[in-house]
Structure formats: structure tokens, C-alpha cells
Amino acid sequence: SAASDVYKRQHQAGRFSQPACFVSIRNNQIVIQATQLKNTKKMDKRILLPLAILPAFQAGNIQAADQLVKRPNIILFMVDDMGWEDTSLPFWKEKTHYNEVYETPNMERLARQGVMFTQAYASSISSPSRCSLITGTNVARHRVTNWTLQKDKTTDRKDSLLAIPDWNYNGVSQVPGTSNTFVGTSFVQLLKNSGYHTIHCGKAHFGAIDTPGEDPHHWGFEVNIAGHAAGGLASYLGEENYGHTKDGKPTSLMSIPGLEKYWGTETFATEALTQEAIKALDKAKKYNQPFYLYMSHYAIHIPLNKDMRFYEKYKKKGMTDHEAAYATLIEGMDKSLGDLMDWLEKNGEADNTIIIFMSDNGGLASTSEWRDGPLYTQNYPLHSGKGSLCEGGIREPMIVSWPGIAKPNTRCDKYLLIEDFYPTILEMAGVKDYKTVQPIDGISFVPLLTGTDDPSKGRSLFWNMPNNWGNDGPGINFNCAVRNGDWKLIYYYGTGKKELFNISDDIGEKNDLSTRHPEIVKRLSKELGDHLRKVDAQRPSFKATGKECPWPDEV
């Protein structure tokens, strides 16, 4: 049935001529659905092929039937804090300075094999994005609106005027019983239940320490490599034991677990994770079942340790120490992508593996401790960066390769949001009629890959950040936003200020058009307010009065 559905989509996309018949299994019965062809002799011969394999199907033997349908492997390659232009692959209409400086040949290689998405969105910081990914729900619904770490402790910076709302600082979980936690069914669990071998490698950051959500095993991953509650890392350096003392004690809550075999070596964390992922794939290859690999790198998160394999190259380009170190994190991540692609080719799995490349939020741009140069410009042509609801904080580099389905070397300019990965990956895997404890806000973008429909048409995307993240800058802290078509509205809870941008004409968000288009402001404010109320979103309150800040359509 899954193969039949794939064939139908391929035919609809014009990739094959009309098939003679579709073979599926329904209620333990073989169903052959013949189609009408002008050449009936040809049809007769083609129907004989499925008829010839019927002896393989004993009554009720669904397992034998399933073995004839090879489901795709899926690799979700997630990068941490990677900006839209942190690559030699330009996602804009023209190359930028950053595209000329950074070297990511394997992203270019993947793009030649698949589809570049130029308007892929996530939340502005890690936890909200990753919680939307694993549950398929919008950030306003799951209410993990800032980064998580320790149980029952918030990570917000204090504010003199606004009080932080009671958000879900313990993260998300598959089981109830922990306060300030959103409960949801994991798509990874559904993949595992359907027969996938599931592997997690790298950063998790789904739930706080000592909560069920901290451990990837609790989300349906059979293998967990170095994933825990932290959203960052103490050190990339094997010489520093990735943040452990010589006697094995962690020096930070961010110390990477599980990589002891590389301690005391010159193995960069990105490389160590890649080697471990490949070992897991070698094992998975023996299982004779499809695999799902979540390759979730800690790169390119701070600290900006130098990956000496690439450092001198970027220094010779005239970059500062900080910027050269940042560039090495990018190229090390890209090498990892290439190593995984090489493994697929060497093991005969390239033609049956979907690769999805994505970042969890925008690039660093809001403090001189992280980046050199004028602040808020490091994601040019986008404005601002991580933590911001401006494009620089939420627009991400995304590529999808799906051999035989997605047209190679193409671009898609339709928009989507991180929660859309949930139904999309399940559809790719042929998992249907699944049940979840939570409503799914995501919408499958498979039609964008097959060219059969446009789910972004008329759709609105929503963000909510009613917290004080910890840095300042354009679009950062105590706000929410909506994108519909070309228009994007940002609303600031504390001041009631509204900004309106036409993203197609003004990708850098330089021209606030709110006073010129009050009717659009009113329409989007109503839509945003309705959504926030519908999903029971939270909002800050004024310390002076104790009253909650108005919703965007109340100002």
C-alpha cells in the first residue's frame, strides 16, 4: 500500500506513465486495482507480474507482503544555531559575503540532489523549535517558549517592568506527571512502532534534567548517542574531555556525555559524533529494517572553539580569530554531512534514503561576545539573529533530498514551519492513521516535494515569545508574530507596538509599514490574537498592576 501510494504521487508529478495496476493489502486480502490502458495486450502482461508473486502471500501473512515493500531510510540532519547564510550555498537571490567566505561543499552536493527551501522557519531559540519538532505542535500551544535546563527552574532574565508568565520550563514529555510540561506523542515513537530502527545522535534538549523528556530513549529512540537535557556544550575539544575533568567529573551541566572513548584525543566533538553515528548505521545495516537517524549536532553553538582541521584556512582569508573559529564549526558540520552521504553511497542506501537538512534557529548576532562586527548584521540580508522574531532569528537553511520523488537541483519558495516536520516524516515513512494525545498543528510539506499542491497557500504561521531570553536587540523578547502571504506582523507585549513588513519586497525588514496599512495590521492582529487564545497561549503581565498584557487585537 505504501509503495502504491508513492507510485501514485510519482505518476501525479509526471515522473511515470500510467501504471497497469496497483497491488495492496486490505483486511488480509490481496487487492489488485487495474487501470485502463489503450493497449490491453500490454496491460495483460503487466498484470501477470503481480499475479506471479501471489504465492508469496499466504493467507494473513502480512509480514511476507511487507518485505516486498522497501520503506525509505530517513536522516534528519539538524544543525544548532546555524544562520540562513552560514553556508557557501546561497538561499537568497544573490550571493552574499558570507556565501563567498564559508565553505560547505556537501550542502551544495545535497542541494544538487534535492530541493532547497528558501523560506523554512523555526522558533528563535532551540527548545521551542525542538519541542515543536518532536510533538508537531506550535510553540504557542506547547508553551515551551524559552530554553530549558534544570527541573522547576526558569532560565529567563528578570525584567523591571514585565513579569514572566508561567511557561513550560520543564519541557515536553510523552507521559504526564511532571508540572510545567507539555505532554505529546512523539513521531519517533510512531516510527519505531511501525518498524523503523531509531537512532539519536547529538543534542536532544527536549526536557529539563530529571524529567522524562530529557532522555531520547523516552521519545522512542532505540539508540542514544550523547543526547541529554542540555542545549549546548561545555567544550568541543577532546583534549578537554568535552567538559570533564581527568577523573571523569563534568565541569558543567553542558558537558557532553557518552564520548569517553575520545577523551584526551584531538577529536573535535562534531567528528566524534559523526564517527559514532556511522557505527550506529553500520549496526542498523545488519537489521534489515529501515532506519531513522536524527543527526543533531551541537555545532555551531557556542563556545567558539577552533576546529584546527580548518582554522588556518579561514585565518588566511583575513578573518578574525572569532570569525575564523565560527567558520570552522560550519565546515566541520558540513564534513559530517558529507561523511554520512558517503556512507549511504558505499552501502547502497543512497537511492533509498531521504535526507532533511535544517537548523533549529537563526545565527548568532546579538552580542560581541559571540560575533565580531556590527551587531544584528551577521545574518545579512536578514535582520537580527538568534532570539529574535525578525527573519534573522527564525528563517533557516533547509534542503530535502528524496530520490525518485523530489526533483533534484530545484528551489521551493513556499514557506513552512518546524512543526510541519512531524506529519511530513510520518507520511514519508508510510505511517498512516496514527493516534496522538496532542493535536497536530503541523501540515505535511510532501506536496511541495512532489509538486502536487501548495499547503502554504492562504496559511498563517505563528510564533510566541513572551519571555526575556537574556540578550537584547531588534525583535528580541516579549513578543509574538504572524506571517500570512507576503505580510508579517510583530507585536510587542510590553509596549503594544506593532511592526508590519512586506517580506517579499523587504527581506531585511527595514521599512515598517504599519501606519500605511492599518487594515492589514488589524486583520493580522485579529488572526494572531485568535490563535493565541485558541491554543491557550501564555503572555506576560505588568508588574505595576499585575494585569496581563493585552492580546495583539486588543491594542
Side-chain angles (χ1 to χ4, degrees):
S1 180
S4 175
D5 288 344
V6 169
Y7 200 110
K8 287 177 181 176
R9 289 199 298 268
Q10 291 174 327
H11 170 67
Q12 291 170 350
R15 303 185 67 85
F16 293 103
S17 60
Q18 176 70 23
C21 61
F22 296 109
V23 181
S24 60
I25 306 168
R26 298 172 192 165
N27 300 322
N28 290 341
Q29 299 293 320
I30 304 300
V31 178
I32 299 180
Q33 179 184 352
T35 58
Q36 295 182 354
L37 295 179
K38 293 181 179 179
N39 188 339
T40 55
K41 291 183 179 180
K42 187 175 182 180
M43 180 178 72
D44 291 340
K45 293 178 181 178
R46 293 170 72 177
I47 287 183
L48 285 176
L49 291 176
L51 291 175
I53 66 172
L54 286 179
F57 298 91
Q58 301 299 324
N61 191 354
I62 302 301
Q63 183 177 2
D66 284 345
Q67 290 175 353
L68 296 175
V69 178
K70 192 172 184 181
R71 301 165 74 190
N73 307 310
I74 302 172
I75 296 178
L76 174 52
F77 193 97
M78 182 70 72
V79 190
D80 195 18
D81 290 358
M82 182 181 181
W84 194 56
E85 292 294 287
D86 286 344
T87 170
S88 57
L89 182 67
F91 282 80
W92 196 31
K93 60 184 178 182
E94 59 190 62
K95 275 197 169 187
T96 65
H97 164 71
Y98 299 107
N99 301 146
E100 300 288 353
V101 172
Y102 300 132
E103 298 184 24
T104 56
N106 293 296
M107 286 183 67
E108 296 179 35
R109 172 184 172 190
L110 184 63
R112 289 192 295 270
Q113 298 178 11
V115 182
M116 290 175 59
F117 284 81
T118 63
Q119 297 196 72
Y121 288 99
S123 287
S124 61
I125 51 177
S126 177
S127 290
S129 289
R130 292 168 188 267
C131 292
S132 289
L133 168 70
I134 202 73
T135 66
T137 55
N138 183 255
V139 60
R141 186 188 298 276
H142 64 61
R143 301 176 66 153
V144 185
T145 47
N146 204 350
W147 60 283
T148 61
L149 183 58
Q150 294 177 281
K151 186 176 181 180
D152 296 334
K153 291 185 179 180
T154 66
T155 55
D156 296 274
R157 181 179 64 177
K158 293 183 178 180
D159 186 80
S160 60
L161 300 177
L162 298 180
I164 310 297
D166 190 32
W167 59 285
N168 283 334
Y169 41 76
N170 284 326
V172 292
S173 173
Q174 284 214 105
V175 295
T178 305
S179 64
N180 294 91
T181 301
F182 179 83
V183 178
T185 305
S186 161
F187 77 87
V188 181
Q189 185 71 53
L190 298 173
L191 288 176
K192 177 185 174 183
N193 294 348
S194 75
Y196 271 76
H197 176 52
T198 53
I199 306 166
H200 179 282
C201 184
K203 173 176 171 174
H205 210 196
F206 299 124
I209 296 171
D210 295 332
T211 69
E214 73 168 330
D215 188 344
H217 288 117
H218 293 169
W219 290 103
F221 286 102
E222 295 170 289
V223 177
N224 173 35
I225 303 165
H228 64 142
L233 68 170
S235 173
Y236 285 95
L237 304 179
E239 300 94 322
E240 297 179 353
N241 300 338
Y242 311 117
H244 294 80
T245 62
K246 291 182 179 181
D247 58 356
K249 295 180 181 179
T251 60
S252 164
L253 295 176
M254 301 287 185
S255 300
I256 306 176
L259 298 179
E260 289 83 358
K261 69 179 69 174
Y262 301 97
W263 286 9
T265 72
E266 295 181 357
T267 310
F268 211 70
T270 308
E271 179 68 19
L273 292 173
T274 305
Q275 292 183 22
E276 290 301 297
I278 288 175
K279 290 176 184 177
L281 291 179
D282 287 337
K283 187 73 172 178
K285 177 72 174 175
K286 301 175 182 178
Y287 289 166
N288 194 32
Q289 64 183 118
F291 63 77
Y292 169 70
L293 168 63
Y294 182 41
M295 186 71 239
S296 179
H297 275 295
Y298 285 98
I300 50 179
H301 196 283
I302 56 171
L304 300 187
N305 294 139
K306 303 169 185 175
D307 190 334
M308 297 309 297
R309 296 175 295 174
F310 314 108
Y311 183 67
E312 290 304 320
K313 173 200 300 185
Y314 290 102
K315 283 298 293 181
K316 289 179 181 178
K317 292 186 178 186
M319 302 179 77
T320 64
D321 290 352
H322 240 163
E323 292 300 297
Y326 188 79
T328 68
L329 297 181
I330 294 172
E331 186 162 353
M333 170 279 300
D334 184 79
K335 178 185 179 297
S336 172
L337 174 64
D339 290 346
L340 293 180
M341 295 174 72
D342 289 345
W343 184 93
L344 294 173
E345 292 178 359
K346 292 176 182 177
N347 287 272
E349 296 290 347
D351 290 339
N352 191 48
T353 301
I354 299 167
I355 302 177
I356 307 172
F357 182 102
M358 183 64 168
S359 172
D360 65 346
N361 52 249
L364 308 175
S366 63
T367 170
S368 58
E369 295 179 17
W370 295 343
R371 299 295 298 274
D372 294 332
L375 296 183
Y376 323 126
T377 65
Q378 285 81 0
N379 293 296
Y380 176 83
L382 307 182
H383 191 38
S384 200
K386 179 178 179 178
S388 171
L389 293 187
C390 296
E391 294 291 288
I394 56 177
R395 192 186 285 220
E396 319 303 336
M398 177 178 163
I399 312 168
V400 180
S401 171
W402 190 356
I405 300 295
K407 188 177 180 180
N409 202 27
T410 56
R411 295 167 69 101
C412 179
D413 297 324
K414 309 301 181 182
Y415 56 63
L416 56 88
L417 194 53
I418 187 71
E419 56 256 35
D420 297 342
F421 281 46
Y422 189 113
T424 301
I425 291 174
L426 290 175
E427 183 174 351
M428 288 172 163
V431 179
K432 302 178 179 180
D433 301 323
Y434 50 86
K435 294 182 180 180
T436 65
V437 299
Q438 79 279 18
I440 303 300
D441 295 313
I443 300 174
S444 172
F445 55 80
V446 165
L448 294 178
L449 293 166
T450 60
T452 55
D453 199 3
D454 178 9
S456 71
K457 188 175 182 179
R459 181 189 181 188
S460 292
L461 307 181
F462 301 99
W463 294 265
N464 193 36
M465 178 54 172
N467 300 69
N468 193 342
W469 170 49
N471 288 297
D472 298 306
I476 297 178
N477 299 326
F478 296 122
N479 54 7
C480 54
V482 57
R483 168 89 191 264
N484 181 275
D486 293 336
W487 295 102
K488 177 181 170 187
L489 177 79
I490 302 177
Y491 168 71
Y492 295 85
Y493 284 108
T495 63
K497 180 182 178 181
K498 298 177 183 179
E499 297 173 331
L500 179 70
F501 303 102
N502 186 306
I503 300 301
S504 296
D505 295 338
D506 181 23
I507 195 171
E509 295 169 294
K510 297 178 180 178
N511 303 307
D512 178 7
L513 303 176
S514 57
T515 58
R516 293 177 56 184
H517 297 281
E519 72 288 355
I520 297 177
V521 171
K522 183 177 181 180
R523 172 172 60 84
L524 293 180
S525 296
K526 179 68 164 59
E527 190 171 7
L528 179 56
D530 285 346
H531 172 76
L532 295 174
R533 286 186 289 266
K534 177 182 177 182
V535 301
D536 193 27
Q538 80 276 30
R539 48 182 166 160
S541 57
F542 296 105
K543 286 186 173 181
T545 64
K547 293 183 177 180
E548 291 182 311
C549 297
W551 294 119
D553 53 349
E554 295 175 343
V555 177

